[in-house]
Amino acid sequence: ESGWSLFGGVSYSSNKDRLNFGGTEIERISQLTHAKWTASYDFSDHLAVKNGAEFFRNDYSEALTKENLERNFGDNQGYLFTEWDWYISQKFVLRSGLRAGFSALADQKWLDPRASLAYKISENGTLSLAAGRFHQLPEERFRVLNANLKNTESGHLILNYLYQKEGKTFRAEAFHKSYDHLVRFEGNPQNPQSVRNEGEGFARGFDVFFRDRESLKNTDYWITYSFVDSKRSYFQYTGQVQPDF
């Protein structure tokens, strides 16, 4: 045997929405085909790799049914990625990777490096640090208005501590995320005009989670707390505002 683990799959989805806004009938159709292939190999107990490729075909249309008016777009998207796990020692694990992508409609190519480092600081506790760059294409309802829209971009930096022992779990995480090329437009979300990539923003904060299934008999309880400070210039807002998500 070669030692390689191979996986492949194809999926297809289709969704149709029929809406009525004050007598105006709108029909939206979204179709997505997704194919993915991966190949994994363990070179040794200390080194493993996972390579893969993905392809998306996205077709979207909006129509005013009574007026017989329609606008649409079709896009081919391709991705290549590689992930490497390095077991440096019994306490250190490094995961690094690259993800490359392209969009035919946006006429854009991109490359996202990502890495994470985990260190086992005790028998039950692990400290990890992760950083990476991410791209995401805008929503279909905006791309159909401006086929030249590019990706939104974000950079992530996350520090995490995890403790697990005998039915108890404690997790604390701090993060900072930056956003660029967010979608902005004039008007309102129901009728956006002059759609473009001009927004930016940030999100920073921390999460704390504690779960206990051991201390109290027949009892499972957990406590969580989250704090987020986030502002973005996006959609119809003229300055940076706190997003509602």
Side-chain angles (χ1 to χ4, degrees), residues 92-206:
F92 271 109
V93 178
L94 172 65
R95 169 172 289 181
S96 60
L98 283 173
R99 184 176 176 87
F102 82 90
S103 165
L105 182 65
D107 190 24
Q108 184 183 18
K109 301 179 180 68
W110 58 92
L111 183 65
D112 292 333
R114 301 166 187 175
S116 64
L117 178 66
Y119 176 60
K120 193 173 181 64
I121 60 178
S122 67
E123 182 180 356
N124 305 106
T126 302
L127 185 67
S128 61
L129 179 67
R133 186 183 180 194
F134 299 82
H135 282 77
Q136 182 176 341
L137 287 165
E139 297 177 52
E140 295 172 323
R141 61 190 178 113
F142 297 131
R143 299 189 76 197
V144 76
L145 297 174
N146 182 355
N148 296 318
L149 281 180
K150 307 300 183 183
N151 278 275
T152 59
E153 301 178 14
S154 66
H156 295 189
L157 181 63
I158 302 173
L159 179 65
N160 178 282
Y161 173 73
L162 176 64
Y163 178 89
Q164 292 179 305
K165 181 182 179 181
E166 298 176 355
K168 296 180 181 179
T169 300
F170 173 77
R171 182 176 66 248
E173 183 174 280
F175 59 88
H176 183 276
K177 302 177 182 180
S178 61
Y179 304 96
D180 290 296
H181 307 299
L182 299 178
V183 171
R184 295 190 65 189
F185 53 80
E186 309 298 332
N188 58 69
Q190 288 71 39
N191 186 28
Q193 305 291 326
S194 185
V195 181
R196 59 201 185 274
N197 294 104
E198 286 187 356
E200 60 181 8
F202 68 88
R204 57 196 175 202
F206 63 88

